[in-house]
Amino acid sequence: GTNPAAGDAAERAARLCADAAAFAREWRDSDPKEASAHGAPLFALLSIAQLLEGAEAWRAASKGLPAAGPRGATDAIAMQPLSALLVRVEALSEAGLLPASLAEVEAAQAEYRLQPPEVRRAFPQLVETCVELLHAQHVALRNARCAPMPAAAGARAGTGFAAIRAQAEALVAFGGTMDVSASSGQRIA
């Protein structure tokens, strides 16, 4: 059976994350300058948590399982399509937390080293999840490519493969600089 204490802990963690997100929004709205100057780690951690939570629900949905997590999880989180999760990955790349190409790896590594330990601890799982999402996007594009489509759409799909490969290579290179468990390191590579 399931462990009710684990469910309660997950529920409390989800509530804490929601409260922290609400606090961050209120802080950003009431004092944007101060929030920007001192809240970057909090905002980074919340963005990472939202991506990881959405990816967990996406994994469950893609396997036909009910979404794991707190009983109060919103349908919006549980029903995020792959494209919405990839938008979150892109936002983390634009914020400088993840590299989108090999040329950005060094800058992302420098930004990673500036993060407090609480944020850095989330990165191995973040990188592994991002590689998994990119792989899923690659598979989806490959499957779509096998289906009959207009020639112009096929040309766009080829460009998509190159971009996915470039970002995945950058994430693997970036992940190779972190202290990760052997199993995470093998799954990333």
Side-chain angles (χ1 to χ4, degrees), residues 2-40:
T2 60
N3 180 351
D8 290 344
E11 232 175 271
R12 286 192 308 273
R15 262 188 266 131
L16 179 62
C17 194
D19 290 346
F23 168 78
R25 278 190 306 276
E26 289 174 21
W27 187 19
R28 192 179 296 164
D29 291 345
S30 67
D31 193 352
K33 186 176 178 183
E34 191 71 18
S36 178
H38 301 290

Side-chain angles (χ1 to χ4, degrees), residues 12-141:
R12 286 192 308 273
R15 262 188 266 131
L16 179 62
C17 194
D19 290 346
F23 168 78
R25 278 190 306 276
E26 289 174 21
W27 187 19
R28 192 179 296 164
D29 291 345
S30 67
D31 193 352
K33 186 176 178 183
E34 191 71 18
S36 178
H38 301 290
L42 173 63
F43 297 121
L45 202 51
L46 287 170
S47 294
I48 292 167
Q50 289 169 344
L51 174 66
L52 295 177
E53 184 178 8
E56 184 177 327
W58 168 80
R59 276 186 211 102
S62 68
K63 293 177 182 175
L65 302 172
R71 290 181 286 266
T74 64
D75 288 339
I77 291 172
M79 300 313 234
Q80 285 186 3
L82 178 60
S83 60
L85 294 170
L86 291 167
V87 167
R88 289 182 182 272
V89 172
E90 187 176 331
L92 290 169
S93 294
E94 289 172 0
L97 294 171
L98 293 173
S101 68
L102 286 172
E104 297 176 6
V105 171
E106 194 172 313
Q109 289 169 337
E111 183 63 33
Y112 167 76
R113 286 188 292 272
L114 293 174
Q115 297 298 319
E118 297 81 9
V119 176
R120 285 195 312 262
R121 276 195 294 268
F123 270 77
Q125 184 180 3
L126 172 65
V127 171
E128 183 178 344
T129 297
C130 291
V131 170
E132 177 187 5
L133 294 171
L134 289 170
H135 179 262
Q137 183 186 28
H138 177 271
V139 169
L141 276 175

